[in-house]
Amino acid sequence: MVNDLKDKWSRFALEHKAAAEFITFFAVSNGVTILQLILMPLSKSLFGMTSLIDIGFQAGQVGTNFDGSPYYIFNYAAGTLKEGGGGGLAYFAAVQLTMAAAQVVNFFIQRKVTFKSTGNIRRAAFWYIVAYLVITTFAAAAQGFYKAPVYRLFINTWSMGRTGEILADLITMMINCIISFWVFFPILKIIFREKKKTITA
């Protein structure tokens, strides 16, 4: 049965290459998302035990909020989320460590399994990092619209305490992963396809 499924998939991949790539990309991305959902609470808990939580990290001001306060791309005010803070440098570090670890795994699997690229891995890695930084910055800017309301809803409005904070962590990470998913697919097709063309030439 397993061999039959492999044969059917191989035929489908040959006849519908783009669709097969998207399906594989979707499956791998979901796996990477699960990895992030596992790593995020662990890294957040780890960094939350350090003094970094009391150090605010607010960078990249772009305009103002509706109330006139500065709008930051990276907005992690000092203090715990439960107490109304933004998690400080500890939360920022936890998010970046989780995303970086997941993207390293994602790069190698997508390159070999999804797009089957045999091109220059250094060039591909360089453009992947550039894309990652741009997407991360965009996702961080978008986070300013939903992060605070989500945490307030679960922690304060619904009075769920620590459980609410964990659920809010998962939701914000899921939103971030969804944004990355739709932006990364066309970018990776370009990065890996160009490398294969160069090798063929």
Side-chain angles (χ1 to χ4, degrees), residues 178-189:
I178 290 170
I179 292 173
S180 297
F181 172 83
W182 287 108
V183 178
F184 253 126
F185 181 69
I187 291 176
L188 292 187
K189 278 185 69 69

Side-chain angles (χ1 to χ4, degrees), residues 64-155:
T64 58
N65 293 303
F66 295 114
D67 61 1
S69 59
Y71 185 93
Y72 297 100
I73 293 177
F74 298 100
N75 188 9
Y76 299 87
T80 64
L81 294 161
K82 187 176 181 180
E83 296 171 348
L89 196 54
Y91 192 105
F92 174 77
V95 170
Q96 298 309 314
L97 176 64
T98 298
M99 291 179 64
Q103 292 309 319
V104 169
V105 174
N106 190 56
F107 171 79
F108 287 104
I109 296 179
Q110 299 289 13
R111 179 176 181 269
K112 281 294 182 185
V113 178
T114 305
F115 299 100
K116 297 178 176 59
S117 176
T118 56
N120 189 306
I121 190 170
R122 292 184 180 180
R123 290 181 183 177
F126 171 78
W127 287 113
Y128 187 94
I129 291 171
V130 170
Y132 166 73
L133 293 175
V134 172
I135 293 170
T136 298
T137 301
F138 172 77
Q143 195 178 69
F145 292 102
Y146 62 82
K147 177 185 172 185
V150 168
Y151 280 95
R152 277 199 300 268
L153 176 66
F154 282 93
I155 297 175

Side-chain angles (χ1 to χ4, degrees), residues 9 16 25 44 61 68 71 78 88 92 114 124 133 141 144-145 158 170 182 186-187 195:
W9 174 254
H16 308 281
F25 178 82
K44 186 167 173 281
Q61 182 180 350
Y71 185 93
F92 174 77
T114 305
L133 293 175
F145 292 102
W158 290 350
L170 297 178
W182 287 108
I187 291 176
K195 302 306 169 286

Side-chain angles (χ1 to χ4, degrees), residues 4 7 22 31 68 78 85 95 100 125 189:
D4 288 340
D7 290 339
F22 183 80
V95 170
K189 278 185 69 69

Side-chain angles (χ1 to χ4, degrees), residues 45-60:
S45 177
L46 178 65
F47 284 106
M49 294 185 291
T50 70
S51 59
L52 294 176
I53 201 165
D54 296 316
I55 301 174
F57 181 77
Q58 296 170 304

